[in-house]
Structure formats: C-alpha cells, structure tokens
Amino acid sequence: MTRLRTSVIGLLLPSVAVVVFAVLLTFSLSRMSEIENAMRVEAEQNMLWVLHQSEVAALRLAEITARADLDEAEPDDIALRFDILVSRIALLNDGPQRRFMDKLGYGDGLDRLNGEIQRIAPMVAGFAPGDGARLRAALEPFPQLLGRAANAAMIADWDEVGGRLETHRSQLRQIIASLAGIMVAGAVLTITLVQALRLSRQRNRMLRRARDFSELLISSSGEGILAVDRAGRCTLWNDAAAEMVGKSGEHAVGRFLAEVGGFFDTALVRQAVARAFTGETTQLGLQPLFRQDCDIPLYVDLRFFPMRNDGQIVGAILFMHDASDSHAAQQKDAQDRDRLEELVAERTRELDDALKRERSAADLYRNFAAMVSHQFRTPLAVADSALQRLIRRGPNAQPQEVAERASRARDAIAGLTRLVESTLDAARLDAGQIGARRVKCDLAEILRTVCHRQRAAAPGRRINVTQAEPGESFAFCDPAHAEQVLENLLSNADKYAAAGVDISVILHGDADRLFCDVHNAGSPVAEADRARLFQRNYRGANSAGIAGTGIGLFMARTLARMQGGDVTLQPGSDGMTFRMALPRIEVAQR
Amino acid sequence: MLGEMVAVVGMSLLVGTAAVAADAGTILQVTGRIAGETVALEHAELQELPQIELETSTVVTDGTHKFTGFLMRDLMENLRADGDRVTAVALNDYAVDIPMADFYDYDVIVAYSMDDIPLGRDDKGPLWIVYPRDDHQELQDIRYDYRWVWQLSRLEVQ
C-alpha cells in the first residue's frame, strides 16, 4: 500500500511538474513575445515633434513677413517659408498623421487650416510690402491650433506611454511569477531526478551484488553448470564444467556447444537442448563423457532446463553431476550378479557331475556284476578244474603234473587279481580319488622298466624298443601314471598279437610333446570299433577268448589326459599302433 | 566604362560650379571635406548622376512608393568626399548626422521624384534622402527613420 502510494507520488509529482513547467514556459514566452512586438516606436508617436515643427514653420512665415515689411527679407524668402509650411500641413494630411489628428479630434481644425493655406497662397504669390499684416492675420489660427494639437498629442502620448508601461509591468509581473513557478517545477524535477538516480544506483548495487552472488554460486558449485543461447553458443561455463569436460571457460564461452566437445554433439544431448528451447525440462542419467585425452569416460547425470527472461526462452541451462560413484556401484552390482550366476552355474555343474558320477558308479557296479559273472567265471572254472584234477588224482599225481596244474590255477587266480585291481582303479578314478602329481621324469627310463617287467611276464614275446632322440626324453608327468599307461598298452599289444609276432615300441617327439608308439602286427580293428575302443567296458570283436574288463584303454586315456597328454589309436592297416603323448618338460616350464 | 563617364561628368560638374556660390538654380550645397570645399549643385546636374529607382514604404505615408534619384555614394565619390559622416541639413534647418558607412552598406538614394512625380519644395522636395527600408529589416528602426531628411538643402561632409 505504502509502496503503491510511493510509486504514484514518484510518478505523478514529476509529471505534474513537467506539465506545470511546460505551461508556465509557454505562457511566459507568449507574454514576452507580446512585449517584444509592443516594443516598436511608431512614427505617429513622433507627432508632438511634427506639430511643433509645423507651428514653427507657421511662426517663421509670420516672422519673415514682418521682416519683409521692414525690407529685411525678399519675396523668395517668404515663398520658401510658405512652401515649408505647406509641406508641413501636407505632411499632417498624409495617411498616418491625418489619422492621428482625427483621433485627437483635430481633423476639422486641420481641414480649416487646409482652407487657410488655399487662401494664403495667392497672398504669398503676389506679396507686396504692406501685405504683411493681412498675411499674419491669416496665419494666426495656425500656431493656435497646432499648439493645442501638440498639447493634446503630448497628453495622448503620455497616456499611451503610461498605459503601455502599465501593461508591460503587469506582463513582466506575470512573467516573473511564471519564472518562479518554472523554478519551483524545475526544483521538483531536479529533486525527483536526484532521487531516481540514487534509487537506480542503489538498485544497480543490489543487482550487482545479486549477480556476484550467483556468479559465486555457479563458480563454486560442484556441479558442472553451462548455458547456451538460442543460437547454441555457450554463454556460461563454470569451473566444475571445465574440470569435467577438460576445456577451460575461455575455450568454451562464445563457441558452439558442438565445437566444445563431441559429447554435446550426441543426438541425446542435442535433442535435450532443443527441448529446453521449447520450454521442456529433460534429465539424462549416467551418460558417458569422454574427456580430452582420456580413455576412461566420466559418467554424468544431466539436467536440462529452459532459461527464461521476461517470459521468453532465451536459452538453455545444463547441470552436469558427476555420477561416477553411482555408476561404479551399479557396475559392482552387475558384477556381483554375474559372479553369483557363475557360482550357481558352477554348483549346478558340480552337482550334475556328482550325479553323473553317482550314475556311472551304479553303472560300474552293474557292469562289474556282469563282467564278474562273465570274466571271473572262466578263470575260476580253470582254477577249479585244475584243483579238482589234483584232488581226484590224489597220491597218484606226478609231482610234475601237480606243479603244472597248480601253476595253471595260480595263473587263473593272478588274472582274477588283475581284473579286480583294474576294476578298483576305475572305481577310484570315478570317485575322483586319483590325482596327478606331475614332475620331471625320464620317459625312456620308465619305458625300460615297463619293458623289463613285460618281458618277465611274457618271456615268449620279443619287444623291440627304439629311441629316436637319445637324452631328450624328459616329460612333465606323474611317473606312476605314465608307467601304468605304458604297461596297459604293452600288455594289450601282447594280448592281441599272434604268437611269435614282435612288439615294437618307438620313443620320439615333436617340439612340444614326447610320443611313445606301441605297435603290434595284430588283426586290425574294424573302423566302426576304432572310436569305441576307448569307451569304458567296451570290448572289441577280437577280444573274444581273452580275459579283460574293457577298462584298460579307457583308464590309459584318462590318466594320460589328466597329465596334459593323450592316448590315441594311430591310423593305418598294418596292425595296431597306440600312441601315448605327454608334454615335454620344457613346454611345462615355459 | 560607365563609372568613368560618371567621373568625367562629376569633374565637369565640379569645375562648372565651383566658382558659383548659392545661385538661384542651386538646390543642393555640399561643403566640408570634399574636392573644392563648397559645391553648389543644380537640379540638372544632379540628374546627370546614374539614375536609380527604389520602391519602398515610408513611415509618413501609406503604402509603397517608387522613388527615383541617385545614389548618395555616387555623389560622394564624384565629389571625392573624404569623411566618416555627413551632416544633412533641411530647408527648415533640421539637421542630422549620417555615418558615411550607411551609403556603402545600403543603397541610400537622394530622390527627386516619387511615383514619377517630381518632388516639390511645398511637399518633401526638392530632394529627399530615402533608405531601402523594405529591403533590410534593420532599417525598420526609429534610429534610421530620422535620417530620412526631406527638403534636403545642404550636406556637410565631416
């Protein structure tokens, strides 16, 4: 209310002062112009002098006639004086002078004088000494009338001058009053102006302070703040923005945003800025901002707002919040989830494996039972029949026969024992109880040991060992397992080779691995069987009549693979060649 | 060429009248700082000066009138006047000082006829000093109005 009143007074008072100022100025100017116009001396105001001169002319004519009577003057002199009088009377009859005489009320008198002039003219023309008295008598009304007229002119003049002065005085008084009014109005205007100036300076100061404060806020803000005008040029770029983008304010302000950084030229940012120009607010979360010369992006949350001035959108303002922390947390969450999934998958796999093992154990027992019923029956029957014969023969038995029958029984029992051992090995393998302790070992040494044992077990069989590279046979493996694999391959070769056929073993290698090829010239395996030879409990078509569990090759391959090696059946129609491959020690150490 | 002729006329005019004092035909007497101290000029002689026409209003008559006469400065130059002011005296002994500069600043004439009617002694003649009042605003002033000497009879160059 008070503010409204103040503003009304603040506006009304100077307006009134301006109007008063203008009115008074116009008034005094018009008054002064009137005075200026009135300040001209009209010739008719000189009438007193004209009348006086006319009177003098009349008197001098009278005087010259008197002197002519005394013979002191010529008729020419009289003519001159008369002409002068005539000219004066003519002057009085002329326009302005005549009007003045009429105004004074001496128009009739002047006409009478005109008549007198007409009467006198012949007297002057034919002047003779002695005519003077008559002429003077005729001239008598002239000074009388002209003197009175002069008197009246003087009074009229004074009246006029007095009136004029009075008018001027009153006009001047009005002007003085107007000027005083103008001064007052001027003072009011000056005071208002000074106050307005003071107020404006005060407001400017306040504005400046407010601006300084907002500048301080912007510059000290941890959020990057930047603004663009409608043309897309950057108008504001605070320190935090410079830090985030890696461009200083001097580099950014005045440039197009797209020039400042490729980040601002992305479709998302451009659309958000365009939306801000239409008055919409946009938020973008976790945008990757690649700084200059930096491969790791900074993740920022962006908020776009329109910038308004007097209701018009003059640009857009953009707040950038460093969201690296929340991005990292999000990343960590994702990683945790992935790890959890992996863990679950791993556990599932383990459970599956356990289940599989369990199933294979069940299979094993089932197979074991089948195998036992089939494979164990033969040696048991052999041993039983040998022992029955011995019992039946009783004391009649020859010592040689006893020894032969007993050793046959023992052989059968030894075969049984091997069957049981290999079956148990397979069971241990399934149970995961067999591990590999890999060390550096000389494969040639192992081969020699195994060959020696094999020769002892089957003295009728020749085994030829060839070593392609002497001294270069160190493998990275578990020696016990390697021995077992070789034993298996050699005994197999012995089992399936016809009698009298040699077994050859070749030890060689390539850059990474050592190979041990065991060859026998036995009947080749049918193509269909080749792939299945390494399956557990598989027995090929050629195994009929030969004791075995069908586990040996499966075991050999499994043990070899456990040590980074393998057991394979080499292609070829010339007998059978099984190869054990093991990594060289150099490869393992590399 | 014309100026030269005027000068010759002026000289003859001077020589012819120098000896004569105030003759019966004399209408203008010039005295003071001129060639020949005193010169009495007759009407005919004055009419030999270059004739000038001037149309102007006056303060003592209504309307404008056509005045015919000669330029005051032509007369002054003919008489080799050497002064800074001229005292003009009328038949009724009215006398007024006129600065010589007036004749050069304005085309001030000495008229011998008004509206083609010769000015008579019983009016404002035979000679009337006329200022080109309508052509110059500053001449419309009471201080110039009193220099309009009519019934001019004598000029004293000072």
Side-chain angles (χ1 to χ4, degrees):
Chain A
M1 191 65 198
T2 314
R3 216 169 132 189
L4 185 72
R5 206 169 53 214
T6 310
S7 82
V8 163
I9 288 173
L11 200 69
L12 200 66
L13 196 65
S15 308
V16 169
V18 166
V19 170
V20 168
F21 195 94
V23 167
L24 289 180
L25 199 64
T26 312
F27 175 74
S28 43
L29 279 176
S30 76
R31 275 279 173 273
M32 283 198 265
S33 165
E34 280 169 21
I35 292 172
E36 196 266 337
N37 278 330
M39 274 186 165
R40 289 179 201 284
V41 177
E42 298 296 335
E44 62 199 44
Q45 286 156 358
N46 199 25
M47 278 304 285
L48 187 59
W49 168 251
V50 173
L51 288 167
H52 165 71
Q53 284 289 302
S54 308
E55 192 184 348
V56 167
L59 289 172
R60 287 192 72 172
L61 179 59
E63 183 214 350
I64 208 81
T65 53
R67 280 170 63 185
D69 280 347
L70 300 170
D71 261 350
E72 283 176 11
E74 296 298 313
D76 274 355
D77 294 332
I78 295 168
L80 175 66
R81 288 300 150 199
F82 180 68
D83 279 351
I84 289 172
L85 178 64
V86 170
S87 89
R88 295 294 129 182
I89 297 303
L91 185 67
L92 283 175
N93 277 307
D94 242 337
Q97 291 77 238
R98 174 73 203 195
R99 284 194 292 279
F100 188 82
M101 291 299 281
D102 287 341
K103 202 167 78 185
L104 285 180
Y106 284 88
D108 294 344
L110 193 57
D111 286 341
R112 208 164 55 243
L113 292 186
N114 289 338
E116 287 297 320
I117 288 287
Q118 299 298 323
R119 216 158 55 79
I120 292 167
M123 289 189 221
V124 173
F127 187 81
D131 282 352
R134 202 160 56 93
L135 198 56
R136 277 196 295 279
L139 279 170
E140 243 170 50
F142 283 83
Q144 195 181 10
L145 190 119
L146 290 170
R148 277 191 202 154
N151 195 353
M154 187 273 287
I155 288 165
D157 198 19
W158 282 25
D159 277 351
E160 198 268 336
V161 167
R164 201 152 54 145
L165 283 180
E166 197 176 282
T167 310
H168 287 180
R169 261 205 308 279
S170 105
Q171 282 172 335
L172 281 173
R173 267 199 300 275
Q174 287 169 359
I175 289 168
I176 287 166
S178 298
L179 285 176
I182 285 170
M183 268 176 67
V184 170
V188 168
L189 280 177
T190 308
I191 289 166
T192 317
L193 192 71
V194 166
Q195 269 181 344
L197 270 176
R198 210 164 52 196
L199 204 65
S200 134
R201 212 173 300 144
Q202 204 175 332
R203 285 197 179 140
N204 267 338
R205 232 181 358 247
M206 274 163 65
L207 272 176
R208 214 162 31 235
R209 267 208 294 274
R211 197 193 58 200
D212 289 349
F213 182 64
S214 47
E215 273 179 3
L216 183 72
L217 272 187
I218 286 169
S219 67
S220 62
S221 165
E223 282 200 329
I225 302 174
L226 55 111
V228 287
D229 60 13
R230 289 302 297 237
R233 279 179 199 281
C234 183
T235 55
L236 174 71
W237 189 266
N238 77 343
D239 292 347
E243 179 73 21
M244 285 184 192
V245 180
K247 292 267 176 81
S248 68
E250 294 86 53
H251 186 87
V253 171
R255 278 168 199 269
F256 287 108
L257 213 49
E259 289 173 13
V260 177
F263 173 69
F264 299 105
D265 204 22
T266 54
L268 269 176
V269 173
R270 269 186 294 145
Q271 284 163 7
V273 170
R275 272 202 294 279
F277 287 156
T278 62
E280 280 182 58
T281 300
T282 312
Q283 295 208 6
L284 297 175
L286 292 178
Q287 295 296 312
L289 166 57
F290 284 92
R291 282 168 290 180
Q292 222 177 7
D293 311 323
C294 190
D295 292 337
I296 304 161
L298 185 73
Y299 285 88
V300 289
D301 287 340
L302 302 173
R303 282 171 295 148
F304 298 80
F305 298 98
M307 209 156 56
R308 293 172 203 274
N309 186 26
D310 283 344
Q312 280 205 318
I313 295 170
V314 296
I317 188 156
L318 166 54
F319 293 89
M320 294 198 296
H321 178 70
D322 184 351
S324 295
D325 292 346
S326 73
H327 180 256
Q330 206 182 45
Q331 289 286 101
K332 195 170 175 300
D333 280 356
Q335 278 173 1
D336 285 352
R337 203 168 48 237
D338 288 352
R339 215 170 37 234
L340 211 60
E341 277 172 6
E342 262 174 43
L343 210 62
V344 167
E346 203 180 322
R347 285 284 147 80
T348 309
R349 209 162 41 240
E350 279 172 10
L351 283 171
D352 279 350
D353 286 352
L355 188 63
K356 220 186 282 171
R357 266 201 305 279
E358 207 60 42
R359 274 181 190 156
S360 71
D363 283 349
L364 180 69
Y365 288 124
R366 205 166 39 248
N367 291 340
F368 182 69
M371 188 188 62
V372 164
S373 66
H374 180 253
Q375 295 289 334
F376 283 30
R377 202 171 285 159
T378 312
L380 280 174
V382 169
D384 186 45
S385 77
L387 290 174
Q388 266 186 0
R389 290 264 180 99
L390 275 179
I391 291 164
R392 214 178 295 146
R393 302 275 291 182
N396 299 331
Q398 297 295 312
Q400 195 193 345
E401 193 188 350
V402 171
E404 193 206 330
R405 297 224 186 258
S407 66
R408 198 180 295 166
R410 276 198 68 195
D411 282 351
I413 289 165
L416 268 179
T417 307
R418 274 202 307 280
L419 279 174
V420 169
E421 272 177 2
S422 69
T423 306
L424 284 177
D425 278 350
R428 279 213 302 280
L429 193 68
D430 284 334
Q433 287 172 357
I434 295 177
R437 286 182 306 280
R438 299 168 76 190
V439 292
K440 178 186 175 181
C441 47
D442 188 353
L443 206 56
E445 182 62 41
I446 291 169
L447 184 57
R448 264 196 301 280
T449 311
V450 173
C451 284
H452 183 71
R453 236 180 359 237
Q454 184 63 35
R455 281 187 194 109
R461 181 77 68 185
R462 278 183 59 187
I463 300 171
N464 302 321
V465 176
T466 320
Q467 188 174 350
E469 298 172 85
E472 289 291 327
S473 54
F474 289 104
F476 184 58
C477 64
D478 185 325
H481 290 337
E483 215 177 288
Q484 197 177 341
V485 172
L486 280 176
E487 239 171 42
N488 176 276
L489 294 181
L490 278 172
S491 68
N492 263 3
D494 178 46
K495 256 190 271 184
Y496 295 103
V501 173
D502 290 351
I503 296 170
S504 63
V505 179
I506 303 166
L507 181 59
H508 62 113
D510 63 11
D512 294 337
R513 293 183 298 173
L514 286 169
F515 304 124
C516 197
D517 291 355
V518 179
H519 175 78
N520 69 312
S523 52
V525 179
E527 277 301 315
D529 281 350
R530 278 180 169 258
R532 300 174 64 191
L533 274 182
F534 293 96
Q535 285 179 8
R536 181 202 289 261
N537 303 126
Y538 175 79
R539 304 206 69 211
N542 60 347
S543 63
I546 299 170
T549 55
I551 281 175
L553 278 175
F554 167 73
M555 274 295 296
R557 170 171 274 186
T558 305
L559 288 174
R561 285 187 176 172
M562 212 183 269
Q563 303 168 80
D566 204 357
V567 172
T568 51
L569 174 59
Q570 296 298 102
S573 54
D574 178 24
M576 302 276 276
T577 307
F578 287 92
R579 168 178 290 181
M580 180 185 74
L582 285 173
R584 281 183 187 273
I585 181 69
E586 294 87 353
V587 175
Q589 281 171 348
R590 225 180 270 157
Chain B
M1 190 66 184
L2 186 69
E4 229 172 83
M5 202 171 76
V6 169
V8 171
V9 170
M11 284 305 285
S12 69
L13 178 145
L14 274 171
V15 172
T17 55
V20 188
D23 194 345
T26 301
I27 59 164
L28 182 63
Q29 198 177 21
V30 187
T31 60
R33 300 169 63 175
I34 55 165
E37 297 235 332
T38 301
V39 176
L41 298 163
E42 288 184 13
H43 197 274
E45 290 169 325
L46 291 174
Q47 274 187 327
E48 282 172 24
L49 284 165
Q51 188 173 306
I52 298 293
E53 282 187 358
L54 175 66
E55 195 155 313
T56 184
S57 62
T58 82
V59 285
V60 291
T61 56
D62 289 334
T64 61
H65 300 279
K66 188 178 88 180
F67 294 94
T68 312
F70 54 88
L71 282 171
M72 188 66 119
R73 62 171 173 272
D74 284 349
L75 177 67
M76 289 296 126
E77 278 166 16
N78 269 314
L79 299 173
R80 296 190 197 144
D82 176 26
D84 52 12
R85 68 197 158 88
V86 175
T87 305
V89 183
L91 289 175
N92 67 340
D93 297 327
Y94 174 81
V96 65
D97 281 356
I98 300 172
M100 190 71 92
D102 273 14
F103 308 140
Y104 291 90
D105 291 346
Y106 313 106
D107 293 337
V108 180
I109 67 165
V110 180
Y112 38 72
S113 69
M114 184 171 82
D115 299 329
D116 295 327
I117 298 162
L119 289 163
R121 195 171 66 180
D122 56 356
D123 189 1
K124 296 181 183 66
L127 298 171
W128 187 1
I129 296 177
V130 177
Y131 277 71
R133 190 178 201 268
D134 291 355
D135 298 343
H136 303 275
Q137 183 70 37
E138 65 270 26
L139 296 181
Q140 292 163 27
D141 188 306
I142 193 164
R143 283 164 294 182
Y144 283 101
D145 288 343
Y146 64 64
R147 295 178 195 174
W148 290 52
V149 178
W150 62 72
Q151 292 179 325
L152 177 69
S153 67
R154 204 166 74 235
L155 291 171
E156 292 168 14
V157 180
Q158 292 173 334

